[in-house]
Amino acid sequence: METNTSPLILDGRTLSKTIREELSEQVASWMAGGGKQPHLAAILVGDDGASQTYVSSKVKGCEQTGMKSSLFRFPAETSEQEILDKIDALNNDHDIDGFIVQLPLPKHIDELKVTLAIDPAKDVDGFHPENAGRIQLGLPAFVSATPMGIMTMLERYQIETSGKHCVVIGRSNIVGTPMSILLSRNTNPGNCTVTLCHSRTPDIAAVCREADIIVAALGKPRFVTADMVKEGAVVVDVGITRVPADNDKGYVIAGDVDYDQVAPKCSAITPVPGGVGVMTVTSLLMNTFQAAQRKSF
Ligand code: GUN
């Protein structure tokens, strides 16, 4: 069988740089026309290392694009009510256009309760049921940042999706499920026949071998191996897991795809790091600018 040894690398860093430059110009011209400076707030509870890194990159992204950011940090033992009170304050703060509560939250805080408390018009993460439901109906809404980043990558790299069979692995509310909906809609990118695999799917490898496009979003390092991938497939890796390693940091970042083995079989693939992760932050910035321009849908 012929092997494709040089896949197209779907480079999230380069694409993000381009999009953030475009966004800075749009923000500058919005403000020159009298628009207020877009303002993103983030609530971070506890001291999880990965969450701190993600939130710092969101704050940095705001600086890069001329937007304002405010970070509200709370210790891990903060009560659920204190977080709900902060959300209420941000919902009513007219200077804040959009805000996020970084997940995961400590066990004693109910993530669903927190998500439901966020004003859908400021829910730039797109996690509120109103935004999730609107996406399902094809109505304007905040699309959750990771699926939006993947759709943007497919669009900007002109990956043909129409009529393709896409296998999404993982059914999370914030990635797998919205991804399956977005790719099946009558849009470009979209128009895929989608199979959503999860922990009860009997033979995921066999399903994956039928895929033209694989979106791996299950959070298991190097789960997708070369034998699961059809020659010429497009592979999108959403995984970002810290795997213990004997280096200065004590860990390496691993994706859900065994990149070195899988890449030679692909027509296109996203690397980890430098693929989907950075696009997630870029999408959040795009949503924040959208929130600043349009107070409600
Ligand atoms: N935790 C992991 N991904 C995300 C995300 O996109 N938004 C928030 N708020 N928390 C996360």
Side-chain angles (χ1 to χ4, degrees):
M1 198 184 288
E2 193 187 325
T3 300
N4 177 358
T5 51
S6 55
L8 171 66
I9 307 298
L10 305 175
D11 178 349
R13 284 202 185 107
T14 305
L15 182 53
S16 277
K17 186 167 179 286
T18 305
I19 293 175
R20 289 183 198 194
E21 281 165 8
E22 293 167 5
L23 192 55
S24 322
E25 283 172 22
Q26 289 163 6
V27 168
S29 96
W30 162 255
M31 288 169 63
K36 81 177 268 300
Q37 184 180 29
H39 188 174
L40 172 72
I43 295 177
L44 176 60
V45 188
D47 49 17
D48 176 72
S51 290
Q52 292 187 42
T53 306
Y54 298 147
V55 170
S56 314
S57 61
K58 292 169 186 180
V59 168
K60 191 170 148 217
C62 285
E63 284 162 15
Q64 279 175 346
T65 50
M67 299 198 264
K68 192 172 164 189
S69 66
S70 297
L71 171 57
F72 299 99
R73 303 184 68 131
F74 292 85
E77 57 277 10
T78 306
S79 71
E80 183 181 272
Q81 192 54 51
E82 280 176 86
I83 300 303
L84 293 173
D85 289 346
K86 186 66 199 176
I87 290 171
D88 190 47
L90 294 176
N91 282 341
N92 291 300
D93 183 337
H94 294 301
D95 196 57
I96 303 286
D97 298 295
F99 67 96
I100 63 152
V101 180
Q102 187 65 28
L103 303 178
L105 289 167
K107 293 272 178 291
H108 65 280
I109 302 177
D110 182 343
E111 287 187 359
L112 181 59
K113 225 177 184 178
V114 163
T115 303
L116 289 171
I118 299 172
D119 177 351
K122 294 191 177 189
D123 169 39
V124 282
D125 254 336
F127 293 172
H128 190 282
E130 184 170 323
N131 282 309
R134 291 179 71 101
I135 292 300
Q136 184 167 338
L137 296 175
L139 296 170
F142 290 120
V143 182
S144 91
T146 301
M148 179 172 163
I150 295 170
M151 294 298 274
T152 305
M153 270 184 142
L154 296 173
E155 182 193 356
R156 296 282 187 120
Y157 276 101
Q158 298 184 329
I159 302 292
E160 182 60 78
T161 58
S162 181
K164 304 292 183 188
H165 180 202
C166 178
V167 171
V168 178
I169 315 173
R171 57 181 158 184
S172 72
N173 291 339
I174 66 176
V175 186
T177 298
M179 202 63 237
S180 69
I181 292 166
L182 290 169
L183 282 169
S184 62
R185 279 176 36 201
N186 184 5
T187 52
N188 181 30
N191 283 314
C192 288
T193 302
V194 178
T195 304
L196 181 56
C197 294
H198 47 75
S199 51
R200 301 292 175 94
T201 304
D203 189 349
I204 292 183
V207 180
C208 284
R209 278 192 287 273
E210 300 295 318
D212 302 307
I213 301 169
I214 295 175
V215 178
L218 71 161
K220 286 197 179 162
R222 305 182 190 107
F223 177 88
V224 176
T225 47
D227 60 299
M228 296 167 70
V229 178
K230 181 167 81 174
E231 200 72 36
V234 173
V235 173
V236 176
D237 188 350
V238 182
I240 306 179
T241 307
R242 289 184 172 194
V243 176
D246 197 10
N247 60 14
D248 289 351
K249 284 185 183 165
Y251 65 86
V252 290
I253 300 292
D256 288 350
V257 175
D258 184 353
Y259 185 92
D260 291 344
Q261 305 299 319
V262 168
K265 292 184 86 174
C266 298
S267 59
I269 187 166
T270 63
V272 175
V276 172
V278 62
M279 288 300 295
T280 296
V281 179
T282 299
S283 305
L284 178 70
L285 301 172
M286 292 163 82
N287 277 348
T288 303
F289 182 46
Q290 198 184 10
Q293 291 171 286
R294 184 170 39 173
K295 285 293 178 191
S296 65
F297 291 109

